[in-house]
Amino acid sequence: MTYKIDNLSIKELQKFIIDLNEKPFRAKQLYKWIYQKGITSFEEMTDLPLNFRDKLSDIFEFTKITPIEQLLSKLDGSIKVLFELEDKNYIESVLMFDGERVTACVSTQVGCRMGCKFCNTAKIGLIRNLTSGEIIRQIIYLKDLARQNNKLLSNIVFMGMGEPLDNYENLTNSLDIILDEDGLNFSHRKVTVSTCGIIDKLYTLSKNYKVNIAISLNASSNKIRSKLMPINKKFNIEEIIKSIKNLPIPKRKRITIEYVLIDGINNTKRDANLLVKLLKGLPVKVNLIVYNKIKDSQFNPPDLNYALNFQKTLINNGVATFIRKSFGQDIEAACGQLYAKYYKERGLWKRSNLTQEIKQ
Ligand code: SF4
């Protein structure tokens, strides 16, 4: 039996290594080869004894994700990558450049079962969770892509396909590798996990990891949020506000509130005032995102003036608010737009979940 080595935490790897009658420190050496040097062949790990390398080759293999399409935005230089997984599923990731800030946006699931009405990924439902190896391989690939562009990858955001907290175990396995100084060695300040609001898991995550948190709110009343995001029936706005007050986050850290502005749905002055009432005095900053129109969608982006006025209302009432730059508008960079065509070809598009129940 072979195991994917990049699905293992350092502790699990140490256990394997001890079982092979080798010293535990070899695990750190292996981690450095795999995550810092990006090596995917035991033969190249030249500071490991030859017979140990042979043993490793017998029991381990590396997770393979193959880039099959890569699109470069002429507007902002962001690069979207479509990966084929070993089981012929597809996921996408985006590398975004903003001065010295270079951000990898990665996926955690093939599809998603959360059913947000404005989201392309929702249309295929959940096909499966990604392994931590598949999550990490996206980052290693994008890190290398940044280097090819003479930049260093500085930030990681879990905002691609899927709901990260719906794949909690593999998310946290990958966070362990990302934050380990012998692994990818990122500071928790540079890593953001975004959720549609799975509050119970959010508490668990915050207790164990100091990474940044983003919550996708998108409405200031339960009536509208429930229409846009079925998760609101399980964890409503009041639950989210309560969690913001109670999450064990480090002092001075603010939670990001993501708010996609959709024309005629959630972008009025009244919506902005209600949002002020909800958020005033809380440790949050709001990211307004102008909806990125997707094909066949019932929704439309608002005029930019609406976004500016919405922002003004929030700022004037003491709520820090930014209009988030939308990357790659010419390359279909919004979540799920590129791979949609691959799933359509395979007849999987719209195959399941818009009515799928969210069971937690
Ligand atoms: S917005 Fe995020 S949580 Fe909602 S359906 Fe899309 S991928 Fe899933």
Side-chain angles (χ1 to χ4, degrees), residues 141-163:
Y141 184 86
L142 296 178
K143 188 177 162 194
D144 198 46
L145 202 53
R147 202 179 299 126
Q148 289 167 30
N149 285 272
N150 301 316
K151 296 276 186 185
L152 282 179
L153 183 66
S154 61
N155 293 66
I156 297 166
V157 295
F158 287 87
M159 293 183 185
M161 286 170 73
E163 161 57 51

Side-chain angles (χ1 to χ4, degrees), residues 45-316:
M45 301 181 179
T46 46
D47 61 354
L48 302 179
L50 204 54
N51 66 341
F52 179 47
R53 282 186 258 162
D54 288 342
K55 283 189 217 167
L56 291 171
S57 307
D58 286 343
I59 55 168
F60 290 124
E61 53 187 29
F62 293 86
T63 300
K64 205 168 158 210
I65 63 170
T66 311
I68 56 166
E69 198 161 332
Q70 205 156 291
L71 300 177
L72 168 70
S73 166
K74 290 195 182 93
L75 296 177
D76 54 41
S78 60
I79 303 170
K80 174 168 243 195
V81 186
L82 183 77
F83 292 104
E84 186 179 83
L85 307 178
E86 288 174 44
D87 62 357
K88 306 287 176 212
N89 273 307
Y90 301 96
I91 52 163
E92 57 188 40
S93 321
V94 188
L95 184 66
M96 297 169 285
F97 299 93
D98 192 6
E100 287 313 301
R101 186 186 171 98
V102 180
T103 304
C105 176
V106 295
S107 296
T108 50
Q109 295 180 312
V110 182
C112 183
R113 64 180 176 136
M114 294 299 142
C116 303
K117 297 291 187 282
F118 49 84
C119 169
N120 233 9
T121 303
K123 291 182 183 165
I124 55 169
L126 177 64
I127 292 183
R128 70 169 173 86
N129 284 331
L130 294 186
T131 64
S132 49
E134 287 166 333
I135 296 171
I136 290 292
R137 286 283 146 212
Q138 296 169 66
I139 299 168
I140 293 176
Y141 184 86
L142 296 178
K143 188 177 162 194
D144 198 46
L145 202 53
R147 202 179 299 126
Q148 289 167 30
N149 285 272
N150 301 316
K151 296 276 186 185
L152 282 179
L153 183 66
S154 61
N155 293 66
I156 297 166
V157 295
F158 287 87
M159 293 183 185
M161 286 170 73
E163 161 57 51
L165 298 184
D166 196 33
N167 182 13
Y168 189 82
E169 199 181 324
N170 294 332
L171 167 75
T172 49
N173 279 350
S174 68
L175 285 176
D176 289 339
I177 295 169
I178 289 166
L179 302 170
D180 192 312
E181 60 178 21
D182 296 309
L184 287 169
N185 194 21
F186 274 77
S187 158
H188 58 84
R189 288 183 202 89
K190 302 290 182 182
V191 180
T192 302
V193 174
S194 172
T195 177
C196 66
I198 302 183
I199 299 303
D200 50 352
K201 301 254 176 72
L202 191 51
Y203 276 106
T204 316
L205 182 81
S206 304
K207 265 185 223 153
N208 294 297
Y209 296 87
K210 290 192 271 177
V211 294
N212 305 312
I213 301 295
I215 302 176
S216 188
L217 189 67
N218 304 320
S220 46
S221 73
N222 283 318
K223 194 173 163 206
I224 293 175
R225 192 167 192 267
S226 293
K227 279 186 186 157
L228 291 174
M229 304 175 73
I231 188 71
N232 198 59
K233 291 177 189 131
K234 185 164 174 64
F235 296 111
N236 64 17
I237 291 179
E238 287 71 32
E239 293 275 348
I240 290 173
I241 298 301
K242 198 167 129 197
S243 75
I244 294 169
K245 290 176 182 162
N246 295 322
L247 282 174
I249 55 165
K251 272 192 183 143
R252 288 195 294 276
K253 211 163 203 177
R254 286 187 295 179
I255 290 172
T256 301
I257 300 295
E258 307 276 354
Y259 194 106
V260 178
L261 287 165
I262 305 173
D263 192 36
I265 304 287
N266 62 0
N267 65 328
T268 63
K269 176 102 176 157
R270 186 172 174 271
D271 294 311
N273 283 328
L274 278 174
L275 197 57
V276 168
K277 272 194 184 165
L278 290 171
L279 300 178
K280 202 167 178 174
L282 297 182
V284 295
K285 63 175 174 173
V286 176
N287 270 352
L288 297 175
I289 305 140
V290 176
Y291 174 68
N292 202 350
K293 175 81 181 170
I294 51 179
K295 213 174 157 204
D296 303 331
S297 168
Q298 56 179 311
F299 300 124
N300 289 300
D303 189 275
L304 188 62
N305 278 332
Y306 273 103
L308 292 170
N309 287 335
F310 203 97
Q311 180 189 35
K312 207 164 145 192
T313 304
L314 267 72
I315 290 178
N316 287 348

